[in-house]
Amino acid sequence: MPSSPPAQIVIFGAGGDLALRKLMPALASLAAKGQPPGGFHVIGVARTKKDDATYRAEIKAALDPEALKAWSELEPRVTYLPGDVSKPEDVKALAAKLDSLPGGKNAGRLYYLSLKPDLFMQAVTELSKAGLLTVKEGETTAWRRVVVEKPFGHDLKSAIELNNHLHTHLKEFQVYRIDHYLGKETVQNIMGLRFHNAIFEPLWNRDHVEMIQITVAEELGMERGRAAYYDETGALSDMLQNHMLQVLSLVTMEPPASLEPQAVRAQKVAVLDALRPPAAEDMPRDAVRARYTKGKISDKAVPGYLEEEGVPKDSQTETFVAVRCEIDTWRWAGVPIVLRHGKRLPKRFTEVQVQFRTPPVQLFNKPDGISDDEFRRKLRNGDLCQVRPNVLTLSIQPKESIRLSFGVKRPGPSMVMAPAVLSFDYQEAFNTHTAPAYERLLLDALVGEPTLFLRGDEIEASWRFADALHAAWKENPKNAMQEYEAGTWGPDSANELFHGCEGGWSRG
Ligand code: BG6
């Protein structure tokens, strides 16, 4: 059987931060590893006029020094085409350039929309009109795929509109909606941990789990001129609606019948459909939004959000979001799910904590000087909190580890229990760094493996949830914007998401 010609990758928005800092290093690494086997060529498209040499120098300048060796593999396969994807004549020039690459029309083509979201639809329309998306039924070599970056719409309505538009010009199997969190090794391992091991799943439900918390904490603020994008987006839409709900869906989905894309995605959608935002009367307490004021990150003074360059002085955009919600399924009903994300927090970490229930009777750790009866009464009334010994912590980044905490008897004459931990660390175990998310996802898109990409209805379900919070924040003055000093863990009100003895937020 003759081998397929090298694939052709077109990156629209080729001069942008994402293209230079994430996509090119990922492609360089794939090129250096000889993946996918047929190889590929890259055309960068953006409006600025420049030649290939200038574009290559720009990419090189943005690379980490350790990526330079890999870059030498990719460099000769990268060219640049000045052009505007909304102009038919520029798309025609792109078609001619693609045809002139090895394999011409018979090569598979991956169009990566690393563009401003308001250009997504126009880009697809123009590519379609130029015949660049046409694919024959069952075609395996001359495939045509489109990777759509986030944000996928800005609410449910716009996401539906974008999905409809894509489906006017493309078959669903040609659409790759990207969420880079799904490319992270530790995120993929969530399914592995749950469904390969028999010991966790019997406990993975409302009978044994008291609470689930997910944090994505960042030290970053508005570096690299991101304010214009960010101020239109905010913490809820930028991180929670997409990355965090994806992680949550993997933690809470039912086991799929197979690893086929449809089987996995169907279970993710089912659980996202069952996700319930706080009731209107609980919104002020259970959905907190805030923005940072000036402060210090690692001893370095940083401005407040409103002082950041490019942020309007009357901005109402949140840089922190925390929400307590529930999943109305037989498995999860009544289990609080708390989600928190913020910029300019004291340290960067992403983590999932599954907190298990306490034993029904507390035999240990009675404080000195109180009777058994008093101990029981205090525990029952919540005046004393039972220790939560069993927490499973999945550290997604920067630590890539799994830790299970439990109690052990402290050596000595009395029965006093002390905390202990079983832990696993990816780097220690495999002595290797996991591949960056974009590398895995680009490879999957090139070989036509859609499991780690989103289906349209997954995104719509996530927007339904985010829209409810946005609407509540807009409608009710009680849901006012709060403030937190940069370098702190967010506003105090976020601690009220934990009730009674449920505990508190992880510090990573
Ligand atoms: C992006 C957001 O999708 O994810 C950024 O737009 C955020 O605001 C980034 O900083 C975080 O990604 P990671 O992989 O560094 O956690």
Side-chain angles (χ1 to χ4, degrees), residues 150 180-181 184 218 226 238-239 243 343 348 397:
K150 68 173 272 259
H180 79 275
Y181 264 56
K184 293 180 193 277
E218 292 187 291
R226 287 199 86 218
D238 184 48
M239 292 294 290
H243 307 320
K343 299 261 185 229
R348 172 176 182 255
Q397 62 186 24

Side-chain angles (χ1 to χ4, degrees), residues 3-225:
S3 60
S4 308
Q8 302 168 349
I9 304 175
V10 182
I11 299 183
F12 295 105
D17 200 48
L18 180 77
L20 297 178
R21 281 194 328 108
K22 300 283 185 191
L23 304 182
M24 287 302 175
L27 290 172
S29 177
L30 287 177
K33 290 175 183 164
Q35 286 180 323
F40 56 85
H41 289 88
V42 184
I43 304 177
V45 179
R47 279 180 305 188
T48 317
K49 287 209 165 29
K50 62 185 118 177
D51 57 16
D52 292 346
T54 313
Y55 184 50
R56 289 173 180 163
E58 238 174 64
I59 299 170
K60 196 170 168 188
L63 288 175
D64 286 339
E66 62 268 28
L68 289 176
K69 196 156 161 268
W71 168 241
S72 61
E73 285 293 323
L74 181 65
E75 186 169 10
R77 307 191 220 163
V78 175
T79 52
Y80 183 80
L81 181 71
D84 181 341
V85 68
S86 58
K87 293 201 177 124
E89 62 276 21
D90 289 1
V91 176
K92 219 165 140 200
L94 172 65
K97 186 153 179 152
L98 283 166
D99 289 349
S100 72
L101 287 179
K105 284 189 174 55
N106 294 323
R109 290 176 178 171
L110 186 71
Y111 305 100
Y112 199 116
L113 308 185
S114 176
L115 289 165
K116 285 213 179 90
D118 49 0
L119 290 172
F120 288 168
M121 294 212 236
Q122 225 176 343
V124 169
T125 308
E126 292 307 326
L127 289 171
S128 170
K129 280 206 299 208
L132 289 178
L133 302 177
T134 314
V135 69
K136 282 191 241 117
E137 197 69 42
E139 176 64 70
T140 52
T141 307
W143 45 264
R144 306 287 180 258
R145 298 177 192 135
V146 176
V147 180
V148 187
E149 255 298 336
K150 68 173 272 259
F152 194 97
H154 52 269
D155 57 11
L156 176 61
K157 188 168 164 275
S158 53
I160 292 176
E161 215 178 306
L162 181 52
N163 271 327
N164 288 343
H165 189 83
L166 292 173
H167 289 146
T168 309
H169 299 286
L170 294 151
K171 302 269 187 301
E172 176 61 24
F173 65 79
Q174 295 178 277
V175 183
Y176 284 67
R177 302 172 190 82
I178 203 164
D179 183 312
H180 79 275
Y181 264 56
L182 295 185
K184 293 180 193 277
E185 201 67 59
T186 42
V187 171
Q188 291 163 44
N189 186 50
I190 297 173
M191 279 222 301
L193 177 87
R194 289 187 56 196
F195 305 134
H196 178 70
N197 301 295
I199 60 169
F200 297 113
E201 208 46 29
L203 303 179
W204 214 260
N205 57 50
R206 64 193 306 277
D207 295 332
H208 302 284
V209 173
E210 181 183 22
M211 184 165 213
I212 295 175
Q213 74 164 280
I214 303 181
T215 294
V216 179
E218 292 187 291
E219 288 176 38
L220 279 180
M222 295 300 113
E223 288 86 351
R224 297 194 305 271

Side-chain angles (χ1 to χ4, degrees), residues 238-443:
D238 184 48
M239 292 294 290
L240 194 142
Q241 177 272 340
N242 38 57
H243 307 320
M244 294 185 73
L245 293 191
Q246 280 300 311
V247 172
L248 177 64
S249 70
L250 292 169
V251 172
T252 54
M253 68 194 266
E254 293 301 314
S258 74
L259 290 180
E260 287 301 309
Q262 291 309 339
V264 174
R265 288 156 151 194
Q267 298 296 19
K268 287 169 67 195
V269 178
V271 81
L272 288 171
D273 273 338
L275 183 63
R276 297 278 172 268
E281 63 272 23
D282 298 331
M283 246 340 152
R285 185 181 69 174
D286 287 348
V288 174
R289 63 173 172 155
R291 72 171 158 244
Y292 59 84
T293 56
K294 70 177 188 298
K296 277 189 174 165
I297 300 277
S298 312
D299 283 337
K300 193 174 157 255
V302 293
Y305 181 68
L306 294 182
E307 289 90 62
E308 296 273 16
E309 208 183 314
V311 172
K313 293 290 161 259
D314 58 352
S315 166
Q316 283 304 311
T317 300
E318 78 288 348
T319 60
F320 177 99
V321 56
V323 58
R324 178 182 171 112
C325 49
E326 283 184 16
I327 294 176
D328 271 353
T329 58
W330 279 53
R331 184 190 281 263
W332 293 117
V335 176
I337 315 273
V338 289
L339 308 170
R340 170 184 60 163
H341 160 63
K343 299 261 185 229
R344 290 277 188 241
L345 298 187
K347 74 180 206 198
R348 172 176 182 255
F349 78 94
T350 298
E351 187 188 88
V352 178
Q353 280 200 349
V354 180
Q355 180 171 308
F356 293 93
R357 295 194 187 282
T358 51
V361 175
Q362 176 68 303
L363 294 175
F364 307 101
N365 296 6
K366 178 166 76 68
D368 289 340
I370 63 170
S371 67
D372 282 356
D373 282 349
E374 206 178 341
F375 184 39
R376 290 177 60 220
R377 186 171 42 75
K378 278 184 186 284
L379 286 173
R380 196 167 300 139
N381 295 346
D383 299 335
L384 248 184
C385 286
Q386 218 164 308
V387 176
R388 267 64 182 161
N390 303 129
V391 178
L392 183 70
T393 304
L394 313 180
S395 291
I396 309 290
Q397 62 186 24
K399 246 188 286 167
E400 298 181 314
S401 66
I402 300 174
R403 297 186 304 284
L404 178 64
S405 65
F406 58 106
V408 291
K409 180 185 172 300
R410 193 185 287 284
S414 48
M415 266 317 252
V416 174
M417 301 301 287
V421 181
L422 277 173
S423 71
F424 158 83
D425 182 282
Y426 258 90
Q427 232 205 303
E428 272 170 27
F430 297 108
N431 196 21
T432 170
H433 284 290
T434 55
Y438 277 99
E439 184 178 325
R440 167 67 198 264
L441 294 174
L442 276 163
L443 180 61

